[in-house]
Amino acid sequence: MGPHPAVAAIRLAVRRVLHDILNEQSTHHPELQTAHAAQAPHASQARHDSPGPRMTALSELPPHTVPTPSRTRRAAPQGRSAPQGRQGSPGPYAQQGAHAPQARSAQAPREHAPSPLVLVACSGGADSMALASALAFEAPKLGIRAGGITVDHGLQAGSDLRADEVAERLRQLGLDPVEAVAVTVGREGGPEAAARDARYAALDAAAERHGAGAILLGHTRDDQAETVLLGLARGSGIRSLSGMAAVSGADGRYRRPFLHIDRQTARKACMVQSLPVWDDPHNADPAYTRSRLRHEGLPALEKALGKGVVEALARTAQLSRDDADALDAWASQAEATVRDAAGCLECAKLYVLPPAVRRRVLRRAVIEAGAPAGSLFARHIEEVDRLITGWRGQGAINLPGKVVAQRQGGRLVIRQG
């Protein structure tokens, strides 16, 4: 009998993403394709020899096999640097032979073509624990090394101990390397945005430190629906309705396999595998906008409109992303045609562009002049656009980042003032 449908769904989603990662790496490193092809028979045989990490409940493991994790707390860094942590040791599954296919296949080929490393960002919640379990099950079959990172934001009492527990669970799944990284969350942009910035900075640093090819994130279809509604409330245009991309970050570092899987499926997969999960109390705290939307807003919409709201919002995100990507590409091509020989933007040429394309050109120009993208809203671009479409001699417009936009002699001048 095969795995539970929920377990099968999450494994399939992860398998597809891992195949994508291998295909991308093979494009840049053709020797990897041969190496992984040679590893496949060994991995297949090993699956018949051992039960695999999903067949044993965590509660059945002998306590003495779990190593004590080490941790380091650093302040949240500026830019893309982040706190340092120490790598954990292999978990009991590796000792029991569940990773035997990884060890056998690593002999000759790895000297010439090291297996790619994929990390999972895990908070200990149902979504990320389901993702970690699926990665631990699927990665050895493809000759991929799998590790895990958990970030302690330090926002709750005992968060350091909880992060250590999550790290232990990741090791028990057979992941290696594993780190529990502590950060100090700032205040810029509000608590949710500051925590997110600190978390991604830490994940970026961990990927660089370990040479990871990708980091898997456990965002589900429900998270996507919430993100679309938050973007709609901001009124920031079609890009904000695009939600989260399946692939994002520098060189496509971040992958989200579960954007088409609902939250209940992930929770069910943890339950049937006896995976312990931790429910973050912040997710139920009405002080946070996303929490209010999750527990009040979305249920109210489903009550008024019927079931299927989450699926419709997630579908809207994908359609909006496709449209936004096409418009961005159009704007990138159009930008070269609206500049004069000196590189200045010509108002007459900007005027004849479709509004959606013109505003994208203006936004790119303002950001290039030094305005922070995260502080630039639709109303700012609309004010700059009026210098093109509603010119009545108005003065300069002040924008975030001390950037100034003004019209001079038929040219749009955007610079830091």
Side-chain angles (χ1 to χ4, degrees), residues 51-66:
R54 300 285 57 75
M55 301 299 292
T56 305
L58 298 184
S59 58
E60 298 173 6
L61 296 173
H64 66 274
T65 61
V66 181

Side-chain angles (χ1 to χ4, degrees), residues 9 20 22 24 87 101-102 168 171 178 206 247 252 263 270 294 300 319 323 360 370 390 401:
D20 290 342
L22 283 180
E24 292 165 11
Q87 176 177 329
Q102 192 172 359
E168 288 180 6
R171 294 187 183 98
V178 169
V247 179
R263 190 174 288 145
C270 290
R294 178 174 302 177
L319 294 172
D323 291 348
R360 279 169 166 76

Side-chain angles (χ1 to χ4, degrees), residues 258-279:
F258 289 177
L259 287 183
H260 297 291
I261 294 178
D262 62 85
R263 190 174 288 145
Q264 281 303 112
T265 297
R267 183 170 291 276
K268 184 68 173 179
C270 290
M271 185 182 71
V272 299
Q273 296 178 99
S274 299
L275 293 173
V277 299
W278 171 68
D279 292 314

Side-chain angles (χ1 to χ4, degrees), residues 90-103:
Y93 285 122
Q95 298 171 16
Q96 295 173 3
H99 274 207
Q102 192 172 359

Side-chain angles (χ1 to χ4, degrees), residues 192 225-235 240-241 289-290 293:
E192 293 171 278
E226 293 163 6
T227 302
V228 171
L229 285 177
L230 289 171
L232 181 63
R234 288 194 296 267
S240 68
L241 298 182
T289 304
R290 185 176 287 269
L293 180 60

Side-chain angles (χ1 to χ4, degrees), residues 124-351:
D127 303 340
S128 57
M129 281 302 297
L131 181 59
S133 73
L135 176 63
F137 184 84
E138 294 292 340
K141 300 180 185 181
L142 300 174
I144 293 176
R145 293 178 295 134
I149 303 294
T150 184
V151 178
D152 170 21
H153 299 84
L155 298 177
Q156 303 173 30
S159 63
D160 55 340
L161 298 178
R162 190 170 297 109
D164 288 344
E165 292 174 359
V166 173
E168 288 180 6
R169 292 171 188 170
L170 296 180
R171 294 187 183 98
Q172 290 168 357
L173 290 172
L175 300 182
D176 178 38
V178 169
E179 279 191 293
V181 181
V183 298
T184 300
V185 177
R187 297 182 178 180
E188 186 175 354
E192 293 171 278
R196 183 174 60 249
D197 290 344
R199 178 169 61 255
Y200 276 99
L203 293 176
D204 280 337
E208 297 293 338
R209 189 159 56 248
H210 294 290
I215 298 178
L216 305 188
L217 304 176
H219 298 118
T220 64
R221 186 171 63 190
D222 300 77
D223 296 311
Q224 185 74 298
E226 293 163 6
T227 302
V228 171
L229 285 177
L230 289 171
L232 181 63
R234 288 194 296 267
S236 300
I238 193 171
R239 178 57 73 184
S240 68
L241 298 182
S242 303
M244 296 173 285
V247 179
S248 65
D251 299 322
R253 169 174 290 163
Y254 293 105
R255 311 294 175 112
R256 297 176 174 88
F258 289 177
L259 287 183
H260 297 291
I261 294 178
D262 62 85
R263 190 174 288 145
Q264 281 303 112
T265 297
R267 183 170 291 276
K268 184 68 173 179
C270 290
M271 185 182 71
V272 299
Q273 296 178 99
S274 299
L275 293 173
V277 299
W278 171 68
D279 292 314
D280 187 347
H282 281 174
N283 291 335
D285 188 343
Y288 296 96
T289 304
R290 185 176 287 269
S291 175
R292 294 195 301 274
L293 180 60
R294 178 174 302 177
H295 298 286
E296 300 174 23
L298 269 173
L301 280 176
E302 289 195 334
K303 183 178 180 180
L305 303 176
K307 295 293 183 181
V309 170
V310 169
E311 293 87 340
L313 288 169
R315 187 165 58 251
T316 297
Q318 184 57 56
L319 294 172
S320 298
R321 181 166 297 279
D322 292 343
D323 291 348
D325 288 345
L327 288 169
D328 285 346
W330 187 355
S332 180
Q333 295 172 354
E335 186 174 5
T337 70
V338 298
R339 293 186 182 273
D340 60 18
C344 296
L345 292 168
E346 297 188 64
C347 296
K349 293 180 178 179
L350 283 168
Y351 183 85

